[in-house]
């Protein structure tokens, strides 16, 4: 995928004195008092803004926060705290502009934050008139919000149709490079790990990946449904019996192309969904009716880790067990460490999705994963094989 980048424009001197509108994803979680509780997205957005400022541009930053009602800005919808913190991270003043759709005053070398764009009437439906007003604010539009790339909205797609120059910020460009490298031009073998509570939420991902991978590892409730498809007992484990036939279709796709889905030989089974519940390591053929599977067993974890260590590319979406509870964390820990080891030896690894990123942090392998995706829904839709609207328009405008 070829797109114009902010870095290229900055290096060529094309940003000096220009009005630059950057769509960031600053949708950071807040506590009841309005304090930001996780700054990951804020920190990740600094490089794009800093690049434009250092290049002598007049910078406007646009983002959404939460799910506001269009036409009103309640206190909890405001980006005021975000603007204050972003100014601190950038080391400069970052005033919040409230009524900005019809014009913004900002001088070269300075930056302003535009109030929550999702409060604008027509934003979510990608209203054409609103999109043109956004475009009129700037000489250069920059999309650096991969987390919203699956949303066809005025601030992500509409403005990109009409702005004079359109490019990808460093965060967006990095995501495009990483996703392209992992699925479109992977080093082989390509192994994907897909886990979660339900097959139904990731069925399209499983089907799409089955066509691409050399090995597919499944975990969580998804694994339980595959175990049902294999005729194994799962007790009272979370599963979707109605999707057994769909699991069999995925297995058939893999078999036809010579790919594998390694099935567990042992599991960690518990009497209840609790850290202090009675639990044991059981053969996959010996799960009792009053037990639920909450992790893969040690033999299976070692087997899966061995598969991962031999991979050239690893795509990771979802922990294989309930890793938040110590008795059921070992499977995910073993995989995390194996992915890190493979990466250390030259494999390319990408991890995405909230639970996955949390597991990466829990097991301390952040610096040993090639790329950690910032986009939850966008990352999943890319894995499904969907064309993300914001990426499509960046590609179109680069032609």
């Amino acid at each position: 995928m070829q797109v114009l980048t902010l870095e290229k424009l900055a290096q060529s001197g094309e940003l000096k004195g220009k009005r630059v509108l950057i769509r960031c994803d600053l949708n950071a979680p807040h506590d009841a008092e309005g304090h930001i509780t996780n700054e990951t997205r804020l920190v990740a957005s600094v490089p794009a803004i800093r690049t434009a400022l250092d290049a002598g541009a007049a910078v406007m930053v646009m983002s959404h926060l939460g799910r506001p009602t269009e036409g009103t800005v309640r206190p909890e919808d405001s980006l005021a705290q975000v603007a204050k913190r972003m100014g601190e991270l950038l080391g400069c003043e970052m005033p919040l502009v409230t009524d900005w759709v019809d014009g913004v005053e900002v001088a070269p070398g300075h930056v302003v934050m535009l109030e929550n764009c999702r409060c604008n009437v027509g934003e979510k439906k990608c209203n054409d008139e609103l999109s043109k007003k956004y475009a009129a604010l700037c000489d250069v539009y920059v999309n650096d919000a991969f987390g919203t790339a699956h949303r066809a909205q005025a601030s992500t797609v509409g403005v990109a149709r009409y702005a004079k120059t359109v490019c990808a910020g460093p965060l967006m460009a990095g995501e495009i490079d990483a996703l392209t490298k992992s699925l479109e031009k992977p080093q082989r073998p390509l192994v994907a790990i897909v886990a979660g509570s339900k097959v139904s939420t990731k069925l399209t991902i499983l089907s799409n990946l089955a066509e691409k991978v050399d090995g597919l590892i499944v975990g969580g409730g998804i694994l339980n449904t595959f175990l049902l498809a294999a005729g194994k007992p799962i007790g009272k484990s979370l599963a979707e019996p109605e999707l057994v036939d769909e699991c069999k279709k995925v297995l058939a796709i893999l078999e036809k192309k010579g790919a594998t889905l390694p099935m567990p030989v042992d599991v960690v089974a518990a009497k209840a969904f609790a850290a202090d519940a009675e639990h044991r390591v059981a053969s996959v053929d010996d799960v009792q009716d009053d037990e639920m599977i909450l992790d893969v067993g040690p033999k299976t974890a070692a087997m899966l880790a061995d598969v991962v260590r031999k991979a050239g590319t690893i795509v990771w979406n979802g922990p294989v067990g309930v890793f938040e509870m110590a008795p059921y964390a070992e499977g995910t820990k073993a995989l995390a460490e194996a992915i890190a080891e493979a990466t250390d030896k030259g494999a390319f690894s990408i991890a995405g999705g909230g639970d996955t990123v949390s597991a990466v942090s829990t097991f301390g392998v952040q610096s040993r994963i090639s790329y950690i995706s910032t986009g939850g829904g966008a990352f999943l839709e890319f894995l499904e094989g969907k064309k993300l609207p914001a990426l499509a328009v960046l590609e179109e405008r680069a032609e």
Side-chain angles (χ1 to χ4, degrees), residues 27 41 44 61 79 123 170 195 219 240 307 341 350-351 362:
N27 185 30
R41 289 174 174 168
V61 175
L79 284 165
E123 162 65 21
E240 294 174 287
V307 171
E341 288 174 32
I350 181 169
T362 297

Side-chain angles (χ1 to χ4, degrees), residues 232-275:
K232 302 294 184 181
I234 65 167
K236 58 179 183 178
S237 305
L238 175 67
E240 294 174 287
E242 69 278 9
L243 291 177
V244 161
D245 288 343
E246 298 299 330
C247 290
K248 289 179 178 178
K249 289 178 185 176
V250 171
L251 292 170
I253 294 170
L254 291 167
E255 184 178 6
K256 185 177 180 180
K257 63 193 291 290
T260 60
L261 191 154
M263 297 296 282
V265 294
D266 60 350
V267 296
V268 179
K271 298 285 187 180
F273 188 82

Side-chain angles (χ1 to χ4, degrees), residues 84-293:
K84 181 175 180 291
R85 183 58 184 142
M86 285 299 293
E88 292 169 354
L89 292 171
L90 287 162
C92 64
E93 289 294 317
M94 194 177 200
L96 179 69
V97 181
T98 53
D99 298 314
W100 55 269
V101 172
D102 293 311
V104 179
E105 290 293 328
V106 57
H110 293 264
V111 59
V112 296
M113 174 77 73
L114 308 181
E115 187 58 281
N116 194 337
C117 62
R118 283 196 185 159
C119 293
N120 296 332
V121 177
E123 162 65 21
K124 286 181 278 191
K125 291 187 176 180
C126 200
N127 176 268
D128 213 42
E129 182 181 353
L130 182 64
S131 299
K132 289 177 180 177
K133 286 188 174 184
Y134 287 170
L137 295 173
C138 64
D139 302 302
V140 178
Y141 166 74
V142 184
N143 194 331
D144 203 38
F146 178 76
T148 67
H150 58 313
R151 308 285 189 196
Q153 300 180 341
S155 65
T156 60
V157 172
V159 59
R161 293 179 181 143
Y162 300 111
K164 296 171 189 173
T165 301
V166 174
C167 68
L171 194 59
M172 178 69 84
E175 292 275 358
I176 292 171
D177 289 345
L179 290 167
T180 300
K181 192 173 181 179
S182 61
L183 290 180
E184 295 179 14
K185 299 176 182 177
Q187 301 176 77
R188 299 284 177 175
L190 167 58
V191 174
I193 302 161
V194 180
S197 58
K198 294 184 177 181
V199 173
S200 54
T201 59
K202 295 188 178 178
L203 182 60
T204 313
I205 295 173
L206 291 166
S207 300
N208 182 54
L209 288 178
E211 299 282 1
K212 300 176 183 290
V213 301
D214 302 296
L216 180 61
I217 293 172
V218 295
I222 292 174
L223 172 60
N224 298 335
T225 307
F226 273 89
L227 287 173
L228 277 181
K232 302 294 184 181
I234 65 167
K236 58 179 183 178
S237 305
L238 175 67
E240 294 174 287
E242 69 278 9
L243 291 177
V244 161
D245 288 343
E246 298 299 330
C247 290
K248 289 179 178 178
K249 289 178 185 176
V250 171
L251 292 170
I253 294 170
L254 291 167
E255 184 178 6
K256 185 177 180 180
K257 63 193 291 290
T260 60
L261 191 154
M263 297 296 282
V265 294
D266 60 350
V267 296
V268 179
K271 298 285 187 180
F273 188 82
D276 59 355
E278 181 184 340
H279 62 276
R280 68 186 180 108
V281 174
S283 162
V284 72
D285 295 306
D286 186 37
V287 178
Q288 302 302 304
D289 291 344
D290 63 344
E291 293 179 319
M292 58 179 68
I293 299 167

